[in-house]
Amino acid sequence: MLPHALVVPAGAEDDGVVGEHNEDQEHGVEPARPPLTAARAREMTAGLREAMDDVRRSVAVLAARVREAHAARVWLPLQHSSWESYCAAEFGISRAQAYRLLDVARALAAIHGAIAASPETSRTRDTDPGAAAALDYGLSQRALIAVSGRTDAVAEIITRRLAVLAHSGLQALDGPTVRAVVRQAVRDVRTAPPPAPVDPPADPAVAALRAVVDDLAACSRQLGELMLEVAPAYLSDTEAADVLALLCDEIGETVENGLAARRYALTGDRRALAGTLL
């Protein structure tokens, strides 16, 4: 069975631990707390760092298992008609979430493939694809989804930078160095502007219209990032709609447009905006 590391149940943010709020707290006086010492603050910070690392490792392990299960067409022996119906029946997640899991798995596989193909990092190869793909590069699910449509660009940057480092001889290609190269490559691809058209339109009116569309897409991406801050990626569209209704009303935007922008921020695919913002 796949682990649920990426599938947080709806309402988990109100589970009575984080953000708990009740009438007694609203009208009562919070009890005095002893001042926090620097040693205790460092201890708490170390615990938070460890927890964040655990989450990232869980993303990597889940991605490996998803890829293996999808490649084996695991839904057929269990009498499900498709991957999405299998995920819905077995794990209670939406079609969009099911395919986001595949996006994460493919992005991690492409990254590991670039590293394993480099002669300078041959020691990172592993005969077990699942274990290889589960290597921890410190990447979040959101970062992997953001580059899932541009894995070729990520892999090319990783390959080139590892070769430069190896040939310079100034820095050993150990685990932390490779991890830093991977994280920077993903960051660079995420923040890079979309590539310019190969053949710009000769008609000035068409060129101007394309520029307007590009500006609208950029604004939609920013709107989508805002939506993701309020309704994180693990929520389905239905769950996100409930969470975003108040925000969209406050900013004078429809929920449909907010959801479309959120999907665009998740996938980078402008088709997510069709019929709404574009």
Side-chain angles (χ1 to χ4, degrees), residues 71-156:
R73 301 174 68 83
V74 69
W75 59 91
L76 294 179
L78 298 179
Q79 306 300 309
H80 296 294
S81 60
S82 62
W83 169 253
E84 56 262 35
S85 63
Y86 162 75
C87 287
E90 299 291 335
F91 313 115
I93 63 177
S94 68
R95 180 180 185 276
Q97 288 172 309
Y99 282 101
R100 282 200 290 270
L101 290 178
L102 287 179
D103 286 341
V104 169
R106 288 165 180 157
L108 266 179
I111 289 168
H112 178 73
I115 294 170
S118 171
E120 295 83 6
T121 57
S122 59
R123 64 180 177 276
T124 66
R125 291 193 180 99
D126 197 306
T127 56
D128 177 1
L135 290 176
D136 176 27
Y137 301 115
L139 299 169
S140 68
Q141 177 197 9
R142 185 170 172 182
L144 290 164
I145 290 172
V147 300
S148 61
R150 304 177 67 185
T151 53
D152 288 347
V154 174
E156 190 275 330

Side-chain angles (χ1 to χ4, degrees), residues 12-13 43 45-46 51 59 81 84 98 111 114 143 166 180 196 206 214 238 247:
E13 65 273 20
E43 181 183 348
T45 301
V59 169
S81 60
E84 56 262 35
I111 289 168
V206 175
D214 288 343
T238 302
L247 172 62

Side-chain angles (χ1 to χ4, degrees), residues 253-266:
E253 191 60 82
T254 66
V255 174
E256 290 75 16
N257 285 356
L259 288 172
R262 179 175 175 270
R263 287 192 294 269
Y264 178 47
L266 275 169

Side-chain angles (χ1 to χ4, degrees), residues 32-57:
R33 297 180 181 180
L36 192 66
T37 65
R40 177 57 180 153
R42 281 193 292 270
E43 181 183 348
M44 293 176 69
T45 301
L48 283 171
R49 185 176 293 110
E50 181 180 356
M52 291 177 183
D53 288 342
D54 286 343
V55 169
R56 294 188 185 103
R57 281 189 290 270

